[in-house]
Amino acid sequence: GVWRTTNLSASPPAWAQVLTPEQINAETGDPFTFTGVSRVVASPTDPGMFFVRANYGAAGPNPPNYVGHTHDNGATWTWIVGVIQSGNNNRTTSLAVGPNNEIAIGGAVGTGNEGKVWLSVDGGHSFAEVYSSGFNSGHAPVDVHIPHNDNPGGQIIYVIDDNISSPTSNPKLMRSVNGGASWTNITPPGWAGSPGTSRRMGSAEDDRRTFFASDGAQFYYSTDGGDTFGLRSTFTNSRGFHLQGRDTVSRLTPTDIRASTDGGATWIS
């Protein structure tokens, strides 16, 4: 589910649940059993608005790929179907929201796990396919990112495209500067991939050119939006990152949260 707090600095903060799996089933009317929410993304422009990606608990023909959004901090929800394709094993794998609430959904479709990204520029009313890793590639977009700063129309999009079963098999970091019409491989030297879903990326809220990408064990840092990268640090398996400014980064590990104030060169718990 999803919980929300308005006093994060309190010890301890008070949390209120604003979304449950049962609520998703009831509001969508879908026969599939949802097991929870795997991604929460806030709108960069509208306070109180955020998006969620729902997990389903069963595979089968045309399984649902729901994205929900709220405009009132979770009091009410609207549900949209991002992508539904024929075949088994369809599932969403990533979600990103752009500077004007563009919605990008990454997913794997079919028994061959063909990775795709779909983009909506009208708040989820319609989606167009903008990226494919190729039929039967076994790849999926494990992370999608749309910078919020200096990115009119959400034209700049990044995709981490990794093999789901074997993450070290030809992992790629891709970038488009024209809304997905074409893509450039900007994978950093030494990028290896790692098990799980720990490959993550992001950019500073006030400077899209300050960009990081991590394969879960290595932290790469760029000051030109991914044209070039420097390897800042290495570590054991991490699960998530957030770039708050040009040099301030938080990193989620399996046991704690660590912070860096020098662009990922050193970390403290």
Side-chain angles (χ1 to χ4, degrees), residues 82-83 103-105 117-122 126-131 179:
V83 286
I103 305 171
I105 297 176
V117 174
W118 297 264
L119 180 68
S120 172
V121 296
D122 56 10
S126 62
F127 283 83
E129 181 184 322
V130 295
Y131 177 83

Side-chain angles (χ1 to χ4, degrees), residues 1-2 17-25 36-37 79:
V2 175
Q17 190 166 16
V18 296
L19 185 64
T20 67
E22 294 78 12
Q23 185 179 350
I24 298 174
N25 276 116
V37 169
W79 295 95

Side-chain angles (χ1 to χ4, degrees), residues 21 31-33 40 50 64 66 68 88 92 109 112 116 118 123-124 126 144 154 184 192 204 212 217 249:
F32 286 85
T33 300
V40 180
F50 55 93
Y66 281 107
N88 294 328
T92 57
V109 298
K116 292 178 179 288
W118 297 264
S126 62
V144 181
T184 301
F212 81 88
V249 192

Side-chain angles (χ1 to χ4, degrees), residues 63-74:
N65 294 275
Y66 281 107
V67 171
H69 59 91
T70 175
H71 292 258
D72 49 20
N73 288 308

Side-chain angles (χ1 to χ4, degrees), residues 85-184:
Q85 301 253 338
S86 299
N88 294 328
N89 298 322
N90 296 351
R91 58 196 182 280
T92 57
T93 55
S94 50
L95 168 67
V97 177
N100 298 298
N101 297 324
E102 300 90 352
I103 305 171
I105 297 176
V109 298
T111 55
N113 287 327
E114 180 183 359
K116 292 178 179 288
V117 174
W118 297 264
L119 180 68
S120 172
V121 296
D122 56 10
H125 295 289
S126 62
F127 283 83
E129 181 184 322
V130 295
Y131 177 83
S132 173
S133 61
F135 180 72
N136 206 33
S137 67
H139 277 236
V142 298
D143 200 17
V144 181
H145 174 63
I146 307 175
H148 295 164
N149 173 266
D150 189 24
N151 187 17
Q155 291 292 292
I156 302 173
I157 309 171
Y158 296 86
V159 171
I160 296 179
D161 187 356
D162 270 6
N163 189 293
I164 297 175
S165 302
S166 178
T168 58
S169 175
N170 192 30
K172 295 179 290 186
L173 173 57
M174 307 295 290
R175 181 183 63 191
S176 174
V177 297
N178 52 15
S182 61
W183 294 86
T184 301

